[in-house]
Amino acid sequence: MLSEPLVISTFDPSKSVASKPSSKDASICIYHQSTTTPQSTFKKSSTKPRCLAVSKSHIFAAQAEKAAIHVYSRERGNLEALVPFTERISCITFSGSDSGGGVGVLIIGTEGGRLILWEVATGRQIITSEVHLDPITTLAVSSTRTHLLSGSEDSDIHVWSLTKLLSFSQERSDSLTRSSLSSFNRHRSGITSLIVGHSFTSSNIAISASTDSLCMIWDYHTGQLLRTIILPSMAVALALDPADRAFYAGYSDGTVQTVSLGHESFSESLYTGSSAPFEPPKDSRWRLPFENAGALHALAVSYDGTTLLSSHASGHVLQWNVGCGKDVPSIVLSLEHPITNLITLLPTEIQPSESLLTKLHAVTKPRFDATFDAATTNGVIPNTYNLHAQLLNDLSKGATILNQQQFSEPSFATCLAHPSFPASMLHFAPIAKAGRDENTNGSENRMQMEMELETLDGTTEKVARVPIASIESLTAELAESRAQQKRNWDKYCGLLLEKSRWQEQYTMRHKRGLREDSSCSDTQLS
């Protein structure tokens, strides 16, 4: 059975801003769902909801009522750094590659409405202007790690391009650099929770909830509202099924409600753009078997979508069976303080450590360097920009692996599991076309030649390469196609010129006829 790690954090309301957390409190813990004994514990922390982020190497905890983030090392199990900021932090999230080993960007939302992007492996820090009028309450990163969504108490949701925010080719003074791609302003009150779908296509959805008990499903690429859900009360937390089949809403009374995206009443109109309001059935709301569970703070879905976890103000973590949500949930954990954050991690068996390309041993504290955001419109990276990470793969095999990926024909399973088209599939497309052409002409349907690749360790190996004859034939076809396009364009321009001449002649004849008619009428009147 696969073991799924569970990361939780607590909030102690009795601690004031000036007081320090007790060293005896285990404020952040990593559990396995099969056991109640923590695998790792981290102390000296108190976090509010949506103020915890986890990477493969570190845990980031934004401290309540403070402008500081505690960074914990998962490898060493201690507090690695205390990073201060200029504003109090309201929410955080982490964006990094699955094979990055902790290398990525920590995205921070402040109470002043600013966004702070911290590259944890380089120390580069990017601070936007006050993009929201009120504190930022929630952040979400798309599955492709190209878009960032930020929700605020001002009822607006901004969609950002992470590529543009982190680009060196923009001037800091340019307003387009730190501006959002689009804004979603259909809500009329503050945003409480925000989630995005798991799709890698350009039609991915976002689901947002606000304090007016409305939940909206919309396309964050186009800003189109797809559906409006009328909830019985304000949703404080949202969670999405791994296959985007349904989402779950948690309420302040501790109950949970499931909303199926394949419900018969609106499954067809979800993708046709109809935004007619929909109210979920009353029996879709799961009740608590006891009243002392307290308010719900966070939701998390297991990797296979069969289990839903909820954390409550009473310090309980409840486990719900998605298949039969009406059953009594089981208590997984019970702590002294309210559990405000709940994050499930992928089982280590799904992605072993051998698949990691880099590993981050220690974060680089953020620093504001003028050279990082200078007017480098040509895209030149400053020489002070250094990446501190360990490369795990053998560099001597780099060229071999690269060529194998480029020149080995992809399998059906690889093409089926890839989000779009594998690079090797696109590479072999001209070869397949050339083979069909040669077969049609009666010549040999496969022509290959071998080249010797000198690797870094001095050995040589043979790698299949595109036949030169095929490349020359494709080049000739491309040149002939371009020549034909030019001939068609010249003919089209000539027809347009001839058409304009005919129109001028017709206009002149028409005017001449009008003048002759008017002169005849004048003669008859006289």
Side-chain angles (χ1 to χ4, degrees):
M1 181 178 180
L2 298 181
S3 179
E4 188 173 7
L6 177 66
V7 184
I8 65 169
S9 66
T10 61
F11 169 69
D12 187 358
S14 63
K15 297 175 182 177
S16 61
V17 178
S19 64
K20 295 183 179 180
S22 174
S23 60
K24 298 181 180 180
D25 297 335
S27 303
I28 301 176
C29 302
I30 300 180
Y31 290 88
H32 285 281
Q33 294 188 24
S34 58
T35 62
T36 57
T37 303
Q39 179 186 8
S40 303
T41 57
F42 305 92
K43 303 176 181 179
K44 299 181 181 181
S45 178
S46 178
T47 59
K48 287 186 176 182
R50 290 175 291 276
C51 289
L52 183 72
V54 183
S55 69
K56 292 187 178 297
S57 60
H58 292 83
I59 296 178
F60 306 89
Q63 300 305 297
E65 307 299 334
K66 296 180 181 179
I69 291 181
H70 288 184
V71 182
Y72 300 91
S73 172
R74 295 177 59 183
E75 180 183 7
R76 294 183 294 272
N78 62 347
L79 178 62
E80 180 179 305
L82 194 156
V83 182
F85 291 89
T86 57
E87 297 183 34
R88 289 184 178 180
I89 298 170
S90 54
C91 56
I92 62 175
T93 188
F94 185 82
S95 175
S97 174
D98 295 335
S99 59
V103 178
V105 181
L106 183 68
I107 305 169
I108 304 168
T110 68
E111 294 186 356
R114 300 176 187 271
L115 284 176
I116 301 177
L117 284 78
W118 169 27
E119 295 182 1
V120 295
T122 65
R124 184 188 179 201
Q125 181 182 210
I126 299 173
I127 304 176
T128 66
S129 58
E130 296 178 358
V131 294
H132 288 280
L133 300 178
D134 294 319
I136 299 176
T137 55
T138 179
L139 296 169
V141 179
S142 64
S143 56
T144 57
R145 295 181 291 274
T146 57
H147 291 81
L148 168 67
L149 281 70
S150 61
S152 170
E153 294 180 359
D154 60 4
S155 74
D156 289 339
I157 300 176
H158 294 328
V159 181
W160 307 82
S161 171
L162 282 176
T163 306
K164 289 185 177 181
L165 287 173
L166 299 173
S167 176
F168 279 104
S169 61
Q170 303 285 347
E171 296 185 11
R172 180 175 176 82
S173 59
D174 188 0
S175 59
L176 296 178
T177 309
R178 306 293 184 252
S179 62
S180 59
L181 296 177
S182 60
S183 298
F184 184 79
N185 52 10
R186 295 296 187 93
H187 289 282
R188 293 296 177 264
S189 57
I191 307 300
T192 58
S193 185
L194 178 64
I195 53 178
V196 295
H198 302 87
S199 174
F200 285 86
T201 63
S202 59
S203 59
N204 200 5
I205 61 173
I207 304 176
S208 55
S210 58
T211 56
D212 57 1
S213 302
L214 291 180
C215 185
M216 296 185 181
I217 306 174
W218 50 288
D219 189 341
Y220 65 84
H221 290 281
T222 62
Q224 179 187 7
L225 177 63
L226 302 178
R227 198 67 179 180
T228 301
I229 312 297
I230 302 176
L231 300 177
S233 60
M234 179 187 69
V236 297
L238 295 176
L240 189 61
D241 177 80
D244 296 352
R245 298 169 296 186
F247 72 91
Y248 308 93
Y251 302 106
S252 57
D253 60 353
T255 60
V256 177
Q257 187 168 20
T258 175
V259 180
S260 175
L261 298 182
H263 195 274
E264 58 182 4
S265 61
F266 73 98
S267 60
E268 295 180 357
S269 61
L270 176 62
Y271 298 99
T272 57
S274 175
S275 58
F278 165 75
E279 187 173 357
K282 294 183 179 180
D283 58 356
S284 63
R285 190 170 183 178
W286 303 339
R287 299 291 178 178
L288 293 172
F290 46 88
E291 298 180 355
N292 59 349
L296 188 145
H297 288 310
L299 291 173
V301 185
S302 61
Y303 73 96
D304 56 359
T306 59
T307 303
L308 176 68
L309 300 174
S310 60
S311 64
H312 299 262
S314 60
H316 294 320
V317 174
L318 303 182
Q319 179 176 323
W320 307 76
N321 190 334
V322 173
C324 46
K326 296 181 181 179
D327 292 349
V328 177
S330 59
I331 299 178
V332 179
L333 297 174
S334 182
L335 302 181
E336 180 181 356
H337 299 299
I339 300 177
T340 53
N341 292 279
L342 186 66
I343 299 176
T344 56
L345 305 178
L346 285 176
T348 54
E349 294 84 355
I350 294 181
Q351 184 179 3
S353 58
E354 290 80 5
S355 62
L356 298 179
L357 300 179
T358 59
K359 185 177 182 180
L360 184 66
H361 292 281
V363 299
T364 303
K365 289 188 176 182
R367 60 189 181 93
F368 181 79
D369 194 341
T371 59
F372 282 176
D373 289 282
T376 56
T377 55
N378 56 353
V380 176
I381 299 178
N383 53 10
T384 57
Y385 184 75
N386 300 318
L387 177 69
H388 303 274
Q390 178 187 1
L391 301 178
L392 300 181
N393 280 350
D394 187 2
L395 294 181
S396 62
K397 300 180 181 179
T400 303
I401 295 175
L402 179 60
N403 283 277
Q404 288 178 352
Q405 292 177 351
Q406 289 183 350
F407 295 104
S408 59
E409 190 168 0
S411 62
F412 174 77
T414 303
C415 299
L416 183 63
H418 199 275
S420 57
F421 294 99
S424 54
M425 182 179 181
L426 298 177
H427 176 78
F428 272 86
I431 303 177
K433 182 179 182 304
R436 289 194 300 269
D437 294 341
E438 292 173 0
N439 190 20
T440 303
N441 297 331
S443 60
E444 297 181 0
N445 58 355
R446 285 189 177 273
M447 296 178 57
Q448 292 185 352
M449 62 180 301
E450 302 292 332
M451 71 172 187
E452 292 186 352
L453 176 68
E454 189 73 22
T455 56
L456 297 178
D457 57 356
T459 62
T460 61
E461 63 176 288
K462 296 182 179 180
V463 182
R465 195 179 184 185
V466 183
I468 296 180
S470 300
I471 297 178
E472 293 178 352
S473 62
L474 291 177
T475 304
E477 291 181 5
L478 180 60
E480 177 62 25
S481 176
R482 290 179 177 176
Q484 183 62 36
Q485 290 179 357
K486 186 177 184 304
R487 289 193 295 268
N488 293 339
W489 175 255
D490 294 339
K491 184 177 179 180
Y492 175 72
C493 293
L495 293 176
L496 287 180
L497 181 60
E498 185 177 358
K499 179 181 177 182
S500 62
R501 292 176 180 175
W502 278 102
Q503 287 179 347
E504 292 178 0
Q505 293 179 4
Y506 175 78
T507 304
M508 294 177 60
R509 291 177 182 177
H510 182 66
K511 290 182 179 179
R512 188 181 302 111
L514 291 178
R515 286 197 299 268
E516 292 177 356
D517 293 342
S518 61
S519 60
C520 292
S521 59
D522 294 340
T523 304
Q524 293 176 0
L525 290 176
S526 59

